[in-house]
Amino acid sequence: MFIDTHAHLQDALKIRLDEVIQNAKLNNVQKIICASYDLSSSYDAVNISTKYEGVFVAIGVHPENCEEYNDEIEQKLEKLCENKKVIAIGEIGLDYHYTKQNKDVQKQVFIRQIKLADRLNLPVVIHTRDAIGDTLEIVEKYKQYFRHGGVFHCFHGSIEVLNKIIKLGFYVSYGGAITFSNANSLREVVKATPVERLLTETDCPYMAPVPLRGTENEPKNIPIIAQKISEIKNIEINNLEKILEENTKKIYKI
Ligand SMILES: [Zn+2]
């Protein structure tokens, strides 16, 4: 089976979720991890997962929403983790693309959620954008809190950064961006990623792969991304499918 390890089913796709899940199944995408970005999307994701057997959940507060994070939200997240479908904390991290004004708050909230994941025995899903230096500094400094590992989602860093996060034990997830015509350097990074650390994701509804760019992305598009990885790494697709499934099982226990 194929697995979408990072999908946002809470918003645009929510209005036609039966169809989206059905499309995924028809394309052999049997498991989907629904990633959250604030408290309300975390509740939403858990609700969706109770309705659809193959849907699992990552809950957490994205750096763009870091200002809302407080003790009360953390307690609510902790309570939500009692649900067996919650299998990770994410997406969390640093994003300086839209604002650099609240770097300290972003860092604090990132660190708090790294510690939360450790307390709850869960892996983390890391989002980093225009902030790789500070992200690396934090994951290196707090590496004792990653007993249950973590994933850099939608990875687009350099080979040098890749090597550092691989050494720290992280998994690396790739999405539709690896199919874009201007993504040669990213494809080199995919090539350099050890196969036992690879994961696939859509990050839907964003980032539809070629040749579907401009359409609403869905978990059903995972085989297109896997096919691209199979070409880049020169691994036969059926073999890669098994490896990706095994990797997902190891990090997310699903
Ligand atoms: Zn995402």
Side-chain angles (χ1 to χ4, degrees), residues 118-158:
D118 183 59
R119 257 200 330 274
L120 297 167
N121 300 317
L122 294 172
V124 296
V125 184
I126 296 175
H127 166 102
T128 177
R129 190 172 185 196
D130 296 348
I132 195 65
D134 285 354
T135 305
L136 275 179
E137 200 175 295
I138 288 175
V139 295
E140 271 163 4
K141 186 167 173 198
Y142 293 89
K143 62 181 173 210
Q144 76 270 26
Y145 291 98
F146 293 102
R147 288 179 301 124
H148 298 275
V151 176
F152 273 74
H153 111 86
C154 209
F155 187 68
H156 57 275
S158 64

Side-chain angles (χ1 to χ4, degrees), residues 6-8 35-37 62 91 125 127 153-154 201-204 206:
H6 193 108
H8 300 287
S36 310
Y37 43 85
H62 186 284
E91 53 190 295
V125 184
H127 166 102
H153 111 86
C154 209
E201 66 171 77
T202 59
D203 205 12
C204 63
Y206 323 104

Side-chain angles (χ1 to χ4, degrees), residues 16 49 63 113 123 128 133 151-152 169-170 176 206 221 230 242 254:
R16 53 181 190 93
S49 76
Q113 292 182 98
T128 177
V151 176
F152 273 74
F170 287 98
Y206 323 104
N221 296 331
S230 138
K242 285 194 198 90
I254 60 166

Side-chain angles (χ1 to χ4, degrees), residues 230-242:
S230 138
E231 288 163 28
I232 296 168
K233 298 211 53 93
N234 198 18
I235 299 172
E236 203 257 322
I237 186 73
N238 292 330
N239 192 6
L240 180 68
E241 181 185 337
K242 285 194 198 90

